[in-house]
Amino acid sequence: MSVATERYARSQANFAAAQAVIPGGVNSPVRAFRGVGGTPIFFDRGQGAYVWDVDGNRYIDYVLSWGPLLLGHAHPTVAQAIAEQAQRGTSFGAPTELETELARLVIDLVPSIEQIRFVNSGTEATMSALRLARAATGRRLIVKFTGCYHGHADMLLVQAGSGVATLGLPDSPGVPPAVAAETITVEYNDLDAVANLFANRGAEIAAVIVEPIAANMGFVLPKPGFLSGLREMTQRYGAIFILDEVMTGFRVAPGGAQALWGLDPDLTCLGKVIGGGLPVGAYAGKRQYMQLVAPAGPMYQAGTLSGNPLAMIAGLTTLRTAFANDGAAFEQAVTLTTNLANGLRDLGTRYRIPLQVGNVGTMFGCYFLRHPDAQITNYAEAKANADTQRYARFFWAMAERGVYLAPSQFEAGFVSTAHTAADIEQTLAAAEEAFAQL
Ligand code: PMP
């Protein structure tokens, strides 16, 4: 990888220092840039659509903390709300009005949700939702899809996406085989395989958990009928249908993928945007299931910092701002995302670079394909057909031109309400120069 080292000198020094005291120098694996080579860029600050690294380089940011920053960095209203709340106390370990306010707002926005429990990360959300599904059904098996990532709980670190995919890791050591054995994986978009599984073991299956867009192996859309088929099948066999909207929630539409595509899951997992850049997750859904959660019911789940006022006010302010005025700010971000995706498709055609570009709402993905007629509809195809080396060259060519993309081919991109038409134009101009070199 030819990376202009002097441009990133301070990041490199920072990384060396971090590696001495933090495993791999990072607190979450994808940050280590194994997917694109070179050393990670250390950030200093962000404002709106931009981030500045410790060497003073500015970037248009399409990672946005991996999705949460729907309004961009340090949105003044959010920053002020957090600061004011911090003056009043950061955590009480006791209920506050803010939790009910955010709960109400989410229930108004997301069609299937009747009750919600806040936690501190997406990992906690999916882990708790699965415990609830097992409690509700008295069954043990979980069905997940290869290349989908639902956080790092033991039973979900099986054939997972995101950093596990980037690093090409086998299933993680430390997960007891007995736990892994209760998670059955199926290729994404393969409804027939799910039907077979239910036909054979339907009475043992507690839940099917799925990303409505598989955005932790790049950006793979569900085939028509796939998600509704899962809904129908889980219903028929008495299993819980869990839609993991940690990434798609408030990103593909105000009501998430379920509103966009008319899905009615039993449980929904949320995270990222719901905390406006502070650590939050949530699991939510039908009252009949949520009422099983302690203290309303017997299924235990708790958290010292759960529903803490800083995270609640950041989430509330983010959602209110994005969706005020009939969602004008959100719609503008959707338009820009569409323009960006169309621009990339057009460049691919003009420079004869085989691409698979996807976009829904404010999310997008761009695979570089090994062959012009290759297609990616699941994880096996992503591994076989995505040209990760070309992506790595593209990533660094864009970074040099002031555009920060996900440092891995197997991750999605995000646009914020702070991005402007000029940012998209500048990004496409940079991409054109990069494509000319590829
Ligand atoms: N579910 C999905 C769909 C995700 O994309 C992620 C994280 N990217 C998670 C769950 C886990 O969330 P967290 O990193 O907050 O634990």
Side-chain angles (χ1 to χ4, degrees), residues 36-96:
V36 290
T39 51
I41 297 170
F42 276 57
F43 288 118
D44 177 42
R45 69 194 171 92
Q47 186 66 60
Y50 309 119
V51 281
W52 285 261
D53 70 15
V54 290
D55 288 285
N57 304 303
R58 192 196 84 164
Y59 307 85
I60 304 171
D61 185 11
Y62 292 100
V63 179
L64 298 168
S65 188
W66 302 98
L69 305 178
L70 181 56
L71 304 180
H73 294 268
H75 187 281
T77 319
V78 178
Q80 191 185 342
I82 294 172
E84 280 172 9
Q85 182 56 50
Q87 302 287 329
R88 301 158 59 86
T90 56
S91 183
F92 305 109
T96 59

Short mmCIF file of all heavy atoms in Angstrom, two decimals, residues 36-96:
data_model
loop_
_atom_site.label_atom_id
_atom_site.label_comp_id
_atom_site.label_asym_id
_atom_site.label_seq_id
_atom_site.Cartn_x
_atom_site.Cartn_y
_atom_site.Cartn_z
N VAL A 36 -7.81 -2.19 4.98
CA VAL A 36 -7.26 -1.35 3.91
C VAL A 36 -5.75 -1.19 4.01
O VAL A 36 -5.13 -0.51 3.19
CB VAL A 36 -7.92 0.06 3.90
CG1 VAL A 36 -9.36 -0.04 3.44
CG2 VAL A 36 -7.82 0.74 5.25
N GLY A 37 -5.14 -1.79 5.02
CA GLY A 37 -3.70 -1.67 5.20
C GLY A 37 -3.33 -0.30 5.75
O GLY A 37 -4.18 0.57 5.95
N GLY A 38 -2.06 -0.09 6.01
CA GLY A 38 -1.61 1.18 6.56
C GLY A 38 -1.98 1.29 8.03
O GLY A 38 -2.45 0.32 8.63
N THR A 39 -1.79 2.46 8.59
CA THR A 39 -2.13 2.63 10.01
C THR A 39 -3.37 3.50 10.13
O THR A 39 -3.65 4.34 9.28
CB THR A 39 -0.98 3.28 10.81
OG1 THR A 39 -0.59 4.46 10.13
CG2 THR A 39 0.19 2.35 10.94
N PRO A 40 -4.14 3.28 11.19
CA PRO A 40 -5.39 4.02 11.34
C PRO A 40 -5.16 5.52 11.49
O PRO A 40 -4.14 5.95 12.01
CB PRO A 40 -6.01 3.44 12.62
CG PRO A 40 -4.96 2.64 13.28
CD PRO A 40 -3.93 2.30 12.25
N ILE A 41 -6.15 6.26 11.02
CA ILE A 41 -6.12 7.71 11.16
C ILE A 41 -6.71 8.05 12.53
O ILE A 41 -7.82 7.59 12.86
CB ILE A 41 -6.92 8.36 10.02
CG1 ILE A 41 -6.26 8.02 8.67
CG2 ILE A 41 -7.03 9.86 10.22
CD1 ILE A 41 -7.10 8.41 7.45
N PHE A 42 -5.97 8.79 13.32
CA PHE A 42 -6.46 9.22 14.63
C PHE A 42 -7.17 10.56 14.46
O PHE A 42 -6.63 11.47 13.85
CB PHE A 42 -5.30 9.37 15.62
CG PHE A 42 -4.92 8.07 16.28
CD1 PHE A 42 -4.55 6.97 15.53
CD2 PHE A 42 -4.94 7.95 17.68
CE1 PHE A 42 -4.20 5.78 16.13
CE2 PHE A 42 -4.60 6.75 18.30
CZ PHE A 42 -4.23 5.67 17.53
N PHE A 43 -8.34 10.67 15.03
CA PHE A 43 -9.10 11.90 14.87
C PHE A 43 -8.94 12.83 16.05
O PHE A 43 -8.74 12.41 17.19
CB PHE A 43 -10.58 11.59 14.63
CG PHE A 43 -10.83 11.01 13.27
CD1 PHE A 43 -11.35 9.74 13.11
CD2 PHE A 43 -10.50 11.74 12.14
CE1 PHE A 43 -11.55 9.22 11.85
CE2 PHE A 43 -10.69 11.23 10.87
CZ PHE A 43 -11.22 9.96 10.73
N ASP A 44 -9.06 14.11 15.72
CA ASP A 44 -8.93 15.15 16.73
C ASP A 44 -10.27 15.79 17.01
O ASP A 44 -10.66 15.98 18.16
CB ASP A 44 -7.93 16.19 16.21
CG ASP A 44 -7.79 17.36 17.16
OD1 ASP A 44 -7.74 17.12 18.38
OD2 ASP A 44 -7.75 18.51 16.69
N ARG A 45 -11.02 16.14 15.94
CA ARG A 45 -12.32 16.77 16.18
C ARG A 45 -13.21 16.61 14.96
O ARG A 45 -12.74 16.25 13.87
CB ARG A 45 -12.14 18.25 16.51
CG ARG A 45 -11.65 19.09 15.36
CD ARG A 45 -11.16 20.46 15.82
NE ARG A 45 -10.51 21.13 14.72
CZ ARG A 45 -11.14 21.95 13.88
NH1 ARG A 45 -12.41 22.22 14.04
NH2 ARG A 45 -10.49 22.51 12.88
N GLY A 46 -14.50 16.86 15.19
CA GLY A 46 -15.46 16.80 14.10
C GLY A 46 -16.42 17.96 14.19
O GLY A 46 -16.72 18.45 15.29
N GLN A 47 -16.89 18.42 13.03
CA GLN A 47 -17.89 19.49 12.99
C GLN A 47 -18.75 19.27 11.76
O GLN A 47 -18.22 19.26 10.64
CB GLN A 47 -17.19 20.85 12.94
CG GLN A 47 -18.15 22.03 13.05
CD GLN A 47 -18.83 22.07 14.42
OE1 GLN A 47 -18.17 22.18 15.44
NE2 GLN A 47 -20.15 21.95 14.44
N GLY A 48 -20.04 19.06 11.96
CA GLY A 48 -20.92 18.84 10.82
C GLY A 48 -20.51 17.60 10.04
O GLY A 48 -20.35 16.52 10.59
N ALA A 49 -20.29 17.78 8.73
CA ALA A 49 -19.94 16.64 7.87
C ALA A 49 -18.44 16.33 7.89
O ALA A 49 -18.00 15.40 7.23
CB ALA A 49 -20.38 16.94 6.44
N TYR A 50 -17.67 17.13 8.64
CA TYR A 50 -16.21 17.03 8.55
C TYR A 50 -15.55 16.49 9.82
O TYR A 50 -16.02 16.75 10.93
CB TYR A 50 -15.60 18.40 8.23
CG TYR A 50 -16.26 19.07 7.05
CD1 TYR A 50 -16.91 20.29 7.20
CD2 TYR A 50 -16.29 18.45 5.81
CE1 TYR A 50 -17.55 20.89 6.12
CE2 TYR A 50 -16.92 19.04 4.73
CZ TYR A 50 -17.56 20.26 4.89
OH TYR A 50 -18.20 20.85 3.84
N VAL A 51 -14.44 15.79 9.60
CA VAL A 51 -13.57 15.42 10.71
C VAL A 51 -12.15 15.88 10.38
O VAL A 51 -11.78 15.95 9.21
CB VAL A 51 -13.55 13.90 10.99
CG1 VAL A 51 -14.78 13.48 11.77
CG2 VAL A 51 -13.40 13.09 9.72
N TRP A 52 -11.40 16.20 11.42
CA TRP A 52 -10.00 16.58 11.27
C TRP A 52 -9.15 15.56 12.01
O TRP A 52 -9.47 15.19 13.16
CB TRP A 52 -9.74 17.95 11.88
CG TRP A 52 -10.24 19.09 11.03
CD1 TRP A 52 -9.52 19.87 10.18
CD2 TRP A 52 -11.60 19.59 10.98
NE1 TRP A 52 -10.34 20.81 9.58
CE2 TRP A 52 -11.62 20.66 10.06
CE3 TRP A 52 -12.80 19.24 11.61
CZ2 TRP A 52 -12.78 21.38 9.77
CZ3 TRP A 52 -13.96 19.95 11.32
CH2 TRP A 52 -13.93 21.01 10.40
N ASP A 53 -8.09 15.10 11.34
CA ASP A 53 -7.23 14.13 12.02
C ASP A 53 -6.16 14.86 12.84
O ASP A 53 -6.07 16.10 12.80
CB ASP A 53 -6.67 13.11 11.03
CG ASP A 53 -5.64 13.68 10.07
OD1 ASP A 53 -5.12 14.79 10.32
OD2 ASP A 53 -5.34 12.99 9.07
N VAL A 54 -5.36 14.09 13.56
CA VAL A 54 -4.38 14.71 14.46
C VAL A 54 -3.24 15.39 13.69
O VAL A 54 -2.48 16.17 14.25
CB VAL A 54 -3.79 13.69 15.46
CG1 VAL A 54 -4.84 13.27 16.48
CG2 VAL A 54 -3.24 12.45 14.73
N ASP A 55 -3.14 15.09 12.38
CA ASP A 55 -2.15 15.78 11.55
C ASP A 55 -2.73 17.04 10.91
O ASP A 55 -2.05 17.71 10.13
CB ASP A 55 -1.63 14.83 10.46
CG ASP A 55 -0.72 13.75 11.04
OD1 ASP A 55 0.43 14.06 11.36
OD2 ASP A 55 -1.19 12.61 11.19
N GLY A 56 -4.00 17.33 11.20
CA GLY A 56 -4.61 18.55 10.68
C GLY A 56 -5.29 18.38 9.33
O GLY A 56 -5.78 19.35 8.76
N ASN A 57 -5.35 17.15 8.80
CA ASN A 57 -6.05 16.92 7.53
C ASN A 57 -7.56 16.91 7.76
O ASN A 57 -8.03 16.31 8.73
CB ASN A 57 -5.65 15.58 6.92
CG ASN A 57 -4.14 15.45 6.72
OD1 ASN A 57 -3.53 16.27 6.05
ND2 ASN A 57 -3.54 14.44 7.33
N ARG A 58 -8.29 17.52 6.83
CA ARG A 58 -9.75 17.52 6.95
C ARG A 58 -10.37 16.51 5.99
O ARG A 58 -9.86 16.32 4.88
CB ARG A 58 -10.30 18.91 6.59
CG ARG A 58 -11.77 19.07 6.97
CD ARG A 58 -12.40 20.27 6.28
NE ARG A 58 -12.86 19.93 4.93
CZ ARG A 58 -13.70 20.67 4.22
NH1 ARG A 58 -14.17 21.80 4.71
NH2 ARG A 58 -14.06 20.28 3.00
N TYR A 59 -11.42 15.86 6.42
CA TYR A 59 -12.13 14.87 5.59
C TYR A 59 -13.63 15.13 5.61
O TYR A 59 -14.18 15.50 6.65
CB TYR A 59 -11.94 13.45 6.13
CG TYR A 59 -10.51 13.04 6.35
CD1 TYR A 59 -9.85 13.35 7.54
CD2 TYR A 59 -9.80 12.35 5.37
CE1 TYR A 59 -8.53 12.99 7.74
CE2 TYR A 59 -8.48 11.97 5.58
CZ TYR A 59 -7.85 12.30 6.76
OH TYR A 59 -6.55 11.95 6.97
N ILE A 60 -14.27 14.86 4.48
CA ILE A 60 -15.73 14.71 4.49
C ILE A 60 -15.96 13.29 5.02
O ILE A 60 -15.40 12.33 4.51
CB ILE A 60 -16.32 14.84 3.07
CG1 ILE A 60 -15.90 16.18 2.45
CG2 ILE A 60 -17.83 14.69 3.11
CD1 ILE A 60 -16.26 16.30 0.96
N ASP A 61 -16.77 13.19 6.04
CA ASP A 61 -16.89 11.93 6.78
C ASP A 61 -18.13 11.13 6.36
O ASP A 61 -19.26 11.60 6.50
CB ASP A 61 -16.96 12.24 8.29
CG ASP A 61 -16.95 10.97 9.14
OD1 ASP A 61 -16.69 9.88 8.60
OD2 ASP A 61 -17.21 11.10 10.36
N TYR A 62 -17.90 9.92 5.84
CA TYR A 62 -19.00 9.02 5.49
C TYR A 62 -19.07 7.81 6.42
O TYR A 62 -19.72 6.82 6.10
CB TYR A 62 -18.89 8.57 4.03
CG TYR A 62 -19.12 9.72 3.06
CD1 TYR A 62 -18.05 10.37 2.46
CD2 TYR A 62 -20.41 10.18 2.79
CE1 TYR A 62 -18.26 11.45 1.60
CE2 TYR A 62 -20.63 11.25 1.94
CZ TYR A 62 -19.55 11.87 1.34
OH TYR A 62 -19.76 12.93 0.50
N VAL A 63 -18.37 7.89 7.54
CA VAL A 63 -18.45 6.83 8.53
C VAL A 63 -19.36 7.28 9.68
O VAL A 63 -20.21 6.52 10.15
CB VAL A 63 -17.05 6.42 9.04
CG1 VAL A 63 -17.16 5.33 10.10
CG2 VAL A 63 -16.18 5.95 7.89
N LEU A 64 -19.17 8.54 10.10
CA LEU A 64 -20.06 9.14 11.10
C LEU A 64 -20.22 8.25 12.33
O LEU A 64 -21.33 7.96 12.77
CB LEU A 64 -21.43 9.44 10.45
CG LEU A 64 -21.37 10.46 9.30
CD1 LEU A 64 -22.68 10.49 8.52
CD2 LEU A 64 -21.05 11.86 9.81
N SER A 65 -19.05 7.81 12.83
CA SER A 65 -19.01 6.94 14.01
C SER A 65 -19.76 5.62 13.75
O SER A 65 -20.33 5.04 14.65
CB SER A 65 -19.54 7.64 15.26
OG SER A 65 -19.32 6.82 16.39
N TRP A 66 -19.75 5.18 12.50
CA TRP A 66 -20.42 3.94 12.06
C TRP A 66 -21.93 4.07 12.13
O TRP A 66 -22.63 3.10 12.41
CB TRP A 66 -19.92 2.72 12.84
CG TRP A 66 -18.45 2.52 12.71
CD1 TRP A 66 -17.51 2.93 13.62
CD2 TRP A 66 -17.73 1.95 11.61
NE1 TRP A 66 -16.24 2.64 13.13
CE2 TRP A 66 -16.35 2.03 11.91
CE3 TRP A 66 -18.13 1.37 10.40
CZ2 TRP A 66 -15.37 1.57 11.06
CZ3 TRP A 66 -17.14 0.89 9.55
CH2 TRP A 66 -15.79 1.00 9.89
N GLY A 67 -22.41 5.29 11.91
CA GLY A 67 -23.85 5.46 11.74
C GLY A 67 -24.58 6.39 12.69
O GLY A 67 -25.54 7.04 12.30
N PRO A 68 -24.18 6.46 13.95
CA PRO A 68 -24.98 7.22 14.91
C PRO A 68 -25.21 8.71 14.57
O PRO A 68 -26.26 9.24 14.90
CB PRO A 68 -24.17 7.12 16.22
CG PRO A 68 -23.41 5.85 16.08
CD PRO A 68 -23.09 5.73 14.61
N LEU A 69 -24.22 9.35 13.93
CA LEU A 69 -24.28 10.80 13.81
C LEU A 69 -25.14 11.25 12.63
O LEU A 69 -24.67 11.82 11.66
CB LEU A 69 -22.85 11.36 13.68
CG LEU A 69 -21.92 10.95 14.83
CD1 LEU A 69 -20.53 11.50 14.62
CD2 LEU A 69 -22.48 11.41 16.17
N LEU A 70 -26.44 11.04 12.76
CA LEU A 70 -27.38 11.40 11.70
C LEU A 70 -27.34 12.90 11.42
O LEU A 70 -27.60 13.34 10.30
CB LEU A 70 -28.80 10.96 12.11
CG LEU A 70 -29.94 11.22 11.13
CD1 LEU A 70 -29.68 10.60 9.76
CD2 LEU A 70 -31.26 10.70 11.69
N LEU A 71 -27.03 13.70 12.44
CA LEU A 71 -26.97 15.16 12.24
C LEU A 71 -25.54 15.63 11.98
O LEU A 71 -25.29 16.83 11.93
CB LEU A 71 -27.51 15.89 13.48
CG LEU A 71 -28.92 15.53 13.94
CD1 LEU A 71 -29.28 16.35 15.18
CD2 LEU A 71 -29.94 15.78 12.84
N GLY A 72 -24.62 14.73 11.84
CA GLY A 72 -23.21 15.10 11.70
C GLY A 72 -22.57 15.29 13.07
O GLY A 72 -23.18 15.04 14.10
N HIS A 73 -21.32 15.73 13.05
CA HIS A 73 -20.55 15.87 14.29
C HIS A 73 -20.93 17.14 15.04
O HIS A 73 -21.14 18.20 14.44
CB HIS A 73 -19.05 15.94 13.98
CG HIS A 73 -18.51 14.67 13.42
ND1 HIS A 73 -17.97 13.68 14.22
CD2 HIS A 73 -18.45 14.20 12.15
CE1 HIS A 73 -17.59 12.67 13.45
NE2 HIS A 73 -17.87 12.95 12.19
N ALA A 74 -20.98 17.02 16.35
CA ALA A 74 -21.12 18.18 17.24
C ALA A 74 -22.22 19.14 16.80
O ALA A 74 -22.02 20.35 16.76
CB ALA A 74 -19.78 18.92 17.34
N HIS A 75 -23.37 18.58 16.44
CA HIS A 75 -24.50 19.46 16.07
C HIS A 75 -24.76 20.41 17.24
O HIS A 75 -24.88 19.96 18.39
CB HIS A 75 -25.73 18.62 15.78
CG HIS A 75 -26.87 19.42 15.23
ND1 HIS A 75 -27.69 20.19 16.03
CD2 HIS A 75 -27.31 19.61 13.97
CE1 HIS A 75 -28.58 20.80 15.28
NE2 HIS A 75 -28.37 20.46 14.01
N PRO A 76 -24.86 21.72 16.97
CA PRO A 76 -24.93 22.68 18.08
C PRO A 76 -26.06 22.39 19.06
O PRO A 76 -25.88 22.51 20.28
CB PRO A 76 -25.12 24.03 17.39
CG PRO A 76 -25.05 23.81 15.93
CD PRO A 76 -24.82 22.36 15.65
N THR A 77 -27.23 22.00 18.56
CA THR A 77 -28.37 21.77 19.46
C THR A 77 -28.12 20.54 20.33
O THR A 77 -28.44 20.53 21.53
CB THR A 77 -29.67 21.55 18.64
OG1 THR A 77 -29.68 22.48 17.56
CG2 THR A 77 -30.88 21.75 19.49
N VAL A 78 -27.51 19.51 19.73
CA VAL A 78 -27.22 18.30 20.50
C VAL A 78 -26.12 18.59 21.52
O VAL A 78 -26.23 18.21 22.69
CB VAL A 78 -26.78 17.15 19.56
CG1 VAL A 78 -26.43 15.89 20.35
CG2 VAL A 78 -27.88 16.83 18.55
N ALA A 79 -25.07 19.27 21.06
CA ALA A 79 -23.95 19.58 21.97
C ALA A 79 -24.44 20.41 23.15
O ALA A 79 -24.06 20.16 24.30
CB ALA A 79 -22.85 20.31 21.20
N GLN A 80 -25.32 21.34 22.87
CA GLN A 80 -25.83 22.19 23.96
C GLN A 80 -26.71 21.39 24.91
O GLN A 80 -26.61 21.53 26.14
CB GLN A 80 -26.63 23.36 23.37
CG GLN A 80 -26.95 24.41 24.42
CD GLN A 80 -27.85 25.52 23.88
OE1 GLN A 80 -27.97 25.68 22.66
NE2 GLN A 80 -28.48 26.25 24.78
N ALA A 81 -27.54 20.54 24.36
CA ALA A 81 -28.42 19.73 25.22
C ALA A 81 -27.59 18.82 26.12
O ALA A 81 -27.90 18.66 27.31
CB ALA A 81 -29.36 18.90 24.34
N ILE A 82 -26.53 18.25 25.57
CA ILE A 82 -25.66 17.37 26.37
C ILE A 82 -24.98 18.19 27.47
O ILE A 82 -24.93 17.79 28.64
CB ILE A 82 -24.60 16.68 25.49
CG1 ILE A 82 -25.27 15.69 24.50
CG2 ILE A 82 -23.57 15.93 26.35
CD1 ILE A 82 -24.31 15.10 23.47
N ALA A 83 -24.46 19.36 27.08
CA ALA A 83 -23.74 20.20 28.05
C ALA A 83 -24.67 20.63 29.19
O ALA A 83 -24.30 20.58 30.36
CB ALA A 83 -23.16 21.42 27.34
N GLU A 84 -25.89 21.02 28.83
CA GLU A 84 -26.83 21.46 29.87
C GLU A 84 -27.19 20.32 30.80
O GLU A 84 -27.25 20.47 32.02
CB GLU A 84 -28.10 22.04 29.23
CG GLU A 84 -27.89 23.46 28.76
CD GLU A 84 -29.08 24.00 27.95
OE1 GLU A 84 -30.14 23.33 27.90
OE2 GLU A 84 -28.92 25.08 27.35
N GLN A 85 -27.40 19.14 30.22
CA GLN A 85 -27.74 17.99 31.05
C GLN A 85 -26.56 17.62 31.94
O GLN A 85 -26.74 17.27 33.11
CB GLN A 85 -28.16 16.79 30.19
CG GLN A 85 -28.56 15.57 31.00
CD GLN A 85 -29.68 15.85 32.00
OE1 GLN A 85 -30.71 16.42 31.66
NE2 GLN A 85 -29.47 15.46 33.26
N ALA A 86 -25.34 17.73 31.40
CA ALA A 86 -24.15 17.37 32.19
C ALA A 86 -24.06 18.23 33.44
O ALA A 86 -23.65 17.76 34.51
CB ALA A 86 -22.89 17.51 31.34
N GLN A 87 -24.50 19.48 33.32
CA GLN A 87 -24.49 20.38 34.49
C GLN A 87 -25.49 19.92 35.54
O GLN A 87 -25.34 20.23 36.72
CB GLN A 87 -24.87 21.81 34.07
CG GLN A 87 -23.98 22.43 33.02
CD GLN A 87 -22.63 22.82 33.56
OE1 GLN A 87 -22.49 23.16 34.73
NE2 GLN A 87 -21.60 22.73 32.72
N ARG A 88 -26.51 19.20 35.09
CA ARG A 88 -27.58 18.79 36.02
C ARG A 88 -27.37 17.37 36.55
O ARG A 88 -28.18 16.87 37.32
CB ARG A 88 -28.94 18.85 35.30
CG ARG A 88 -29.29 20.22 34.78
CD ARG A 88 -30.32 20.13 33.63
NE ARG A 88 -31.54 19.47 34.06
CZ ARG A 88 -32.55 20.08 34.63
NH1 ARG A 88 -32.49 21.38 34.85
NH2 ARG A 88 -33.61 19.41 34.98
N GLY A 89 -26.30 16.74 36.06
CA GLY A 89 -26.03 15.37 36.53
C GLY A 89 -25.98 14.43 35.35
O GLY A 89 -26.78 14.54 34.42
N THR A 90 -25.03 13.52 35.37
CA THR A 90 -24.82 12.64 34.22
C THR A 90 -25.49 11.28 34.38
O THR A 90 -25.68 10.57 33.40
CB THR A 90 -23.32 12.41 33.96
OG1 THR A 90 -22.74 11.89 35.15
CG2 THR A 90 -22.63 13.70 33.59
N SER A 91 -25.79 10.90 35.59
CA SER A 91 -26.43 9.60 35.79
C SER A 91 -26.97 9.53 37.20
O SER A 91 -26.34 10.02 38.14
CB SER A 91 -25.40 8.48 35.57
OG SER A 91 -26.03 7.22 35.69
N PHE A 92 -28.14 8.96 37.33
CA PHE A 92 -28.75 8.86 38.66
C PHE A 92 -28.98 7.42 39.08
O PHE A 92 -29.20 7.14 40.24
CB PHE A 92 -30.08 9.62 38.69
CG PHE A 92 -29.96 11.06 38.27
CD1 PHE A 92 -30.46 11.50 37.06
CD2 PHE A 92 -29.30 11.98 39.09
CE1 PHE A 92 -30.33 12.82 36.66
CE2 PHE A 92 -29.17 13.31 38.71
CZ PHE A 92 -29.67 13.73 37.49
N GLY A 93 -29.00 6.51 38.11
CA GLY A 93 -29.37 5.14 38.45
C GLY A 93 -30.77 5.10 39.02
O GLY A 93 -31.11 4.24 39.84
N ALA A 94 -31.58 6.02 38.54
CA ALA A 94 -32.98 6.13 38.97
C ALA A 94 -33.74 6.68 37.77
O ALA A 94 -33.11 7.27 36.89
CB ALA A 94 -33.09 7.08 40.17
N PRO A 95 -35.05 6.49 37.72
CA PRO A 95 -35.76 6.92 36.51
C PRO A 95 -35.77 8.43 36.33
O PRO A 95 -35.74 9.19 37.31
CB PRO A 95 -37.18 6.39 36.71
CG PRO A 95 -37.25 5.80 38.08
CD PRO A 95 -35.89 5.79 38.68
N THR A 96 -35.80 8.86 35.07
CA THR A 96 -35.93 10.27 34.73
C THR A 96 -37.04 10.41 33.68
O THR A 96 -37.38 9.45 33.00
CB THR A 96 -34.63 10.82 34.11
OG1 THR A 96 -34.35 10.06 32.93
CG2 THR A 96 -33.45 10.71 35.08
#
